[in-house]
Amino acid sequence: MMNCLQSWPEPVVRVQSLSESGIRAIPDRYIKPPSDRPGFENQEHVDIPVVDLKNLFSHDHTLHEETLKLISSACKEWGFFQAVNHGISHELMKRTREVWREFFNLPLEVKQEYANAPTTYEGYGSRLGVQKGAILDWSDYFFLHYLPVHLRNPSKWPSLPSSCRDLISEYGAEVVKLCGRLLKAMSISLGLKEDYLQNAFGAEDIGACLRVNFYPKCPQPDLTLGLSSHSDPGGMTLLLPDHDIAGLQVRKNGKWITVKPVPNAFIVNVGDQIQVMSNAIYKSVEHRVIVNSVKDRVSLAFFYNPKSDLLIEPAKELVSEDRPALYSPMTFDEYRLYIRTYGPCGKTQVEFSGSNR
């Protein structure tokens, strides 16, 4: 299916190399139109909800129900929340983030061994989308498949630092377990059987991948973005942000809210596929990443996705005469071809798929 995306339309430039070259003005290729520039006006003192997961599977029914209500409210109102007491070792989170920071600080020729192509995006990359002449984002990344197992290829994962591959395996296993717990909570909160969403994703035969983002220092952060506005095309995303500097912005009521990371929290967000399955009860929300002139940033986005060839459609239980199905059935493979071709484009894709019935 991806045969039309064999190679990048122009030579790839590593943004980290640009940043480290000492330039004082960014190349035109990274300058966003004025309407898309971040603007650093005074931020409102609001933030995405924080949900304590320690009572998610508590034997205390009241505490359990309260947690489900908090998750449901966050998914309806924000499409985002920060999860604390999630059960994943803080030390594992820290070590995994730091090993990737070390990878991006390796010599360029070492990283180039993993240079990617748009056929699968797997490996070391610096752009999304294959449109010639597109305005680019101020970031590099490393993308890899974790599930299904037959797509997992540790030989394509960095061999340096030496602990990297083991940490990817350990971290991935823990995050997959957490995603399963959250999917169960979302199913129950929607009034569905607890295993509905997991089964709709493909039961045990789901997709999962990791995108590690590197946002280099930028001499003109007011003119560009680390990652353009988009909603995530997959099912659910667990983001491990950098611990001491904010970058993620979430769109709420037409305004951009800068997320202030809570220590040792994961930032959880609803993807387009859960918006479709929930018939838009739960919302995937536009977000973007700003950069700064002072410090490089690393973040890890773990995408928990439906099996790529399953048809995704609204749950029959959430469709009625009063609330008809808003989306036509489509496989995730068909769906994600859009972002792989055009790059991040706000909410264009899910809105188009809803109107194209």
Side-chain angles (χ1 to χ4, degrees):
M1 173 168 197
M2 302 291 176
N3 289 345
C4 56
L5 311 177
Q6 289 295 333
S7 60
W8 302 114
E10 297 126 341
V12 173
V13 176
R14 302 304 180 190
V15 178
Q16 185 177 5
S17 298
L18 279 176
S19 174
E20 292 174 353
S21 72
I23 58 170
R24 296 188 177 185
I26 62 175
D28 290 347
R29 289 297 306 277
Y30 300 91
I31 298 176
K32 304 293 181 183
S35 59
D36 293 342
R37 294 176 194 170
F40 292 95
E41 67 280 352
N42 291 333
Q43 285 290 324
E44 293 184 56
H45 293 291
V46 292
D47 209 339
I48 63 174
V50 177
V51 179
D52 189 332
L53 298 185
K54 73 172 179 286
N55 296 316
L56 186 55
F57 293 100
S58 168
H59 295 300
D60 185 316
H61 181 72
T62 304
L63 294 175
H64 172 70
E65 287 296 312
E66 282 176 8
T67 307
L68 289 177
K69 283 179 184 172
L70 290 171
I71 291 172
S72 179
S73 173
C75 292
K76 288 176 180 175
E77 301 300 321
W78 284 88
F80 272 84
F81 60 93
Q82 297 199 61
V84 297
N85 291 318
H86 41 66
I88 295 181
S89 156
H90 297 169
E91 182 62 25
L92 175 61
M93 295 163 70
K94 178 182 176 183
R95 283 191 295 130
T96 306
R97 184 173 50 218
E98 291 311 306
V99 84
W100 280 107
R101 201 186 307 275
E102 289 174 37
F103 169 79
F104 282 104
N105 285 327
L106 290 171
L108 180 59
E109 60 269 19
V110 176
K111 293 177 288 192
Q112 284 292 110
E113 292 175 22
Y114 302 95
N116 72 348
T119 42
T120 65
Y121 276 83
E122 210 170 357
Y124 175 51
S126 297
R127 66 179 290 164
L128 289 173
V130 292
Q131 298 299 294
K132 192 168 185 177
I135 297 174
L136 302 176
D137 291 333
W138 192 261
S139 57
D140 300 323
Y141 63 86
F142 197 103
F143 180 82
L144 60 88
H145 291 293
Y146 189 78
L147 291 174
V149 172
H150 71 83
L151 284 182
R152 186 190 304 179
N153 187 351
S155 69
K156 292 184 178 179
W157 303 353
S159 60
L160 292 174
S162 58
S163 59
C164 191
R165 290 177 178 174
D166 287 344
L167 282 169
I168 293 168
S169 294
E170 185 182 355
Y171 178 83
E174 291 298 313
V175 175
V176 164
K177 283 191 277 189
L178 177 56
C179 287
R181 294 176 68 198
L182 288 170
L183 213 55
K184 189 177 287 190
M186 289 180 187
S187 290
I188 297 167
S189 302
L190 286 164
L192 302 167
K193 291 180 179 176
E194 68 173 29
D195 58 357
Y196 179 89
L197 288 175
Q198 187 70 54
N199 287 337
F201 270 46
E204 298 304 310
D205 196 15
I206 55 101
C209 43
L210 176 67
R211 183 182 136 119
V212 185
N213 305 295
F214 186 82
Y215 302 107
K217 291 180 287 190
C218 178
Q220 295 177 298
D222 54 325
L223 297 182
T224 192
L225 290 167
L227 188 55
S228 294
S229 171
H230 65 289
S231 60
D232 289 351
M236 173 171 52
T237 305
L238 257 65
L239 180 77
L240 176 58
D242 216 328
H243 60 94
D244 61 355
I245 188 160
L248 176 66
Q249 291 189 324
V250 173
R251 193 164 204 166
K252 176 74 167 171
N253 299 328
K255 295 182 178 177
W256 289 103
I257 308 299
T258 301
V259 176
K260 300 162 196 71
V262 172
N264 302 312
F266 281 104
I267 298 172
V268 181
N269 70 281
V270 171
D272 293 347
Q273 305 308 305
I274 286 181
Q275 175 168 322
V276 169
M277 290 178 185
S278 72
N279 208 25
I281 294 172
Y282 287 174
K283 306 290 194 301
S284 65
V285 169
E286 264 186 275
H287 51 287
R288 67 184 188 183
V289 176
I290 56 174
V291 291
N292 71 86
S293 60
V294 178
K295 192 164 187 180
D296 302 331
R297 289 180 55 251
V298 174
S299 69
L300 283 68
F302 193 90
F303 304 108
Y304 194 77
N305 297 329
K307 187 171 182 282
S308 62
D309 58 357
L310 283 183
L311 279 177
I312 304 300
E313 59 187 325
K316 300 289 190 287
E317 297 88 334
L318 303 178
V319 173
S320 64
E321 201 172 317
D322 294 335
R323 192 182 181 93
L326 298 174
Y327 308 96
S328 299
M330 183 183 289
T331 68
F332 182 48
D333 248 349
E334 292 169 323
Y335 192 90
R336 67 180 165 188
L337 183 60
Y338 186 98
I339 195 168
R340 290 187 168 190
T341 304
Y342 299 103
C345 301
K347 287 274 287 183
T348 309
Q349 183 178 6
V350 73
E351 288 167 358
F352 175 78
S353 71
S355 63
N356 193 33
R357 297 180 61 234

